[in-house]
Amino acid sequence: MNILFINSIGRNKFGGGEKWMVNAAKGLTEKGHNVVLASKKNSKILRYAAEKGVGTDVFEIRGDIAPFTTLKIAAWLKKHKTDILICNLNKDVRVAGLAARLAGTPVVLARHGMLLCSRKWKHKLTLTNLTDGIITNSGTIRAAYAEYGWFDRNFVKVIYNGLDIPDHVEAHDFTQRFPGKKIIYSAGRLSDQKGFTYLIEAAAILRTQRSDLVFAVSGEGKLEPELKAQAKSAGLEDSFIFLGFTADIYPLLRGCDIFVLASLFEGMPNVVMEAMAMQKPVIATDVNGARELMGATATDPACATGIIIPSKNPQAIANAVNILIDDPLRMAAFGKAGYERVSREFTIGAMVRNLELHLQEQLEQKRGRA
């Protein structure tokens, strides 16, 4: 198959959706398909894709309507006899999806790692006319879209994210800087979405009860000055540490005691998957994908891999930490169960196999109808 991925994320932005797209493109390339990933010039995603051996190209999509760019993409699709176009953002669908219709590209899919489609008429118009389906990573997102009543039952396909579990990871030695302390670790973009303000409040609550905890956070973002000021105001300068951007968080995950996800919303939180792969107990807010990933049901938050808590609730975070941190046997059991679950159901290999099969089915169906 000849496949083009388009992702017009900002040049300096790179998150879980971008990592998924590169991993998917790399996996399909290794299976013998002709795959290209296109984005903005000098973008992080193109550099990352090139490092992974994925073919790249440049398309500048800046808005919902771009006639010149649409025609340019249509010509590219015709020239390369593209079978499948996979778009990331809504503007990618509107610009590149229209180009695919003009070029006669058989299959156009949107990939939604989060709830990117609301009940607005423009979303209905573009998704039902310019795409042949949506790929998502969470049953909760598929259920939300089903309520719109726009799509048939097979329009939205769930393909879980995957990761490659490293064979060996050397644990970061937190004891050199924090001797005698237990480490609560988190990672993510320093933005409102990730809920770090509530994590700081939880740390302040716990500080009134005990002095043996250190919170460490990897990430960068526009809220960094505000969050650092909040931690300082709460008297947490020595126990709430900002580590900045961390290219490889596996050593930190291996070296910590508990991982906490405090997000207000997610798609399928990759960082939770990574923590489980490092055999760490997880405390996660009840966001899209967390229950499916951790093995909890829709009605029962109990699971064998960690504790699920409500979002925007610092006391719930503090309570969950207190429940786990002094119970090494329970933490070890959660960690072991998490590793087994990820290695069984959430590998890159499984993700790529499921994606390849879905793309082949879509292409066969479209050609059969034609």
Side-chain angles (χ1 to χ4, degrees):
M1 293 181 289
N2 298 323
I3 305 166
L4 174 65
F5 289 86
I6 288 188
N7 187 334
S8 62
I9 194 77
R11 285 180 175 80
N12 295 316
K13 293 182 178 180
F14 188 90
E18 287 64 55
K19 184 179 287 187
W20 178 90
M21 191 163 274
V22 173
N23 285 337
K26 180 176 184 288
L28 291 168
T29 299
E30 291 173 346
K31 282 183 168 287
H33 302 290
N34 299 313
V35 184
V36 173
L37 191 154
S39 186
K40 295 178 178 178
K41 186 177 181 180
N42 297 324
S43 59
K44 280 188 175 181
I45 186 173
L46 286 190
R47 291 197 295 272
Y48 185 70
E51 290 171 2
K52 295 294 184 180
V54 175
T56 64
D57 211 327
V58 173
F59 290 123
E60 299 280 348
I61 299 178
R62 299 186 177 88
D64 287 342
I65 301 175
F68 176 77
T69 304
T70 293
L71 293 174
K72 181 180 178 181
I73 295 172
W76 192 100
L77 294 169
K78 282 187 176 181
K79 178 182 177 181
H80 294 85
K81 299 179 180 179
T82 304
D83 298 306
I84 295 172
L85 169 68
I86 301 176
C87 302
N88 182 50
L89 301 177
N90 288 320
K91 62 181 177 180
D92 299 336
V93 170
R94 294 179 188 125
V95 174
L98 177 58
R101 293 305 191 221
L102 294 174
T105 299
V107 176
V108 181
L109 300 171
R111 200 272 172 170
H112 288 186
M114 298 175 66
L115 275 169
L116 296 180
C117 166
S118 68
R119 295 181 183 273
K120 294 180 180 179
W121 66 268
K122 65 178 182 179
H123 291 158
K124 179 180 180 181
L125 182 66
T126 54
L127 286 168
T128 56
N129 288 281
L130 297 180
T131 75
D132 301 293
I134 295 171
I135 298 170
T136 189
N137 52 17
S138 162
T140 53
I141 294 177
R142 179 176 60 185
Y145 286 171
E147 293 179 358
Y148 294 1
W150 300 346
F151 313 119
D152 66 47
R153 61 188 301 270
N154 296 318
F155 195 84
V156 181
K157 174 71 173 180
V158 176
I159 297 176
Y160 288 127
N161 293 359
L163 62 100
D164 280 324
I165 302 175
D167 293 331
H168 175 74
V169 175
E170 191 71 31
H172 178 79
D173 186 5
F174 282 102
T175 62
Q176 291 189 0
R177 184 176 178 184
F178 307 110
K181 303 294 185 179
K182 298 174 181 179
I183 307 300
I184 315 301
Y185 180 65
S186 190
R189 190 171 60 256
L190 302 184
S191 65
D192 288 329
Q193 174 198 344
K194 300 300 181 179
F196 287 121
T197 183
Y198 303 101
L199 189 61
I200 295 172
E201 291 179 28
I205 293 171
L206 288 163
R207 186 63 181 267
T208 67
Q209 303 168 5
R210 56 196 303 161
S211 59
D212 62 338
L213 302 181
V214 168
F215 286 73
V217 172
S218 290
E220 59 185 2
K222 63 181 181 181
L223 286 189
E224 183 171 347
E226 181 180 325
L227 293 172
K228 286 183 174 179
Q230 181 187 352
K232 183 177 181 180
S233 178
L236 301 173
E237 298 101 319
D238 298 327
S239 59
F240 200 102
I241 310 303
F242 293 88
L243 302 174
F245 173 74
T246 307
D248 181 8
I249 68 171
Y250 279 129
L252 296 166
L253 286 167
R254 181 74 84 187
C256 76
D257 293 286
I258 295 174
F259 178 81
V260 177
L261 179 83
S263 294
L264 311 188
F265 60 93
E266 289 283 349
M268 176 65 75
N270 283 340
V271 69
V272 169
M273 196 185 307
E274 291 166 338
M276 292 165 66
M278 291 296 100
Q279 301 190 41
K280 294 301 167 179
V282 173
I283 297 170
T285 47
D286 194 3
V287 292
N288 278 338
R291 287 174 179 265
E292 292 167 77
L293 180 52
M294 294 173 66
T297 67
T299 56
D300 185 359
C303 58
T305 60
I307 299 175
I308 295 175
I309 58 173
S311 61
K312 301 183 181 180
N313 193 326
Q315 188 64 60
I317 298 174
N319 291 346
V321 170
N322 267 332
I323 288 171
L324 284 182
I325 197 65
D326 297 319
D327 191 345
L329 292 179
R330 191 176 185 189
M331 287 199 297
F334 278 160
K336 182 175 183 290
Y339 172 78
E340 291 173 350
R341 181 167 174 78
V342 168
S343 60
R344 183 177 62 248
E345 299 186 31
F346 297 95
T347 64
I348 289 285
M351 181 195 82
V352 173
R353 284 194 301 274
N354 291 334
L355 177 61
E356 180 186 38
L357 180 60
H358 180 61
L359 298 183
Q360 289 169 337
E361 289 174 347
Q362 287 284 309
L363 189 57
E364 290 170 5
Q365 290 173 10
K366 198 68 178 289
R367 285 174 172 167
R369 288 195 296 268

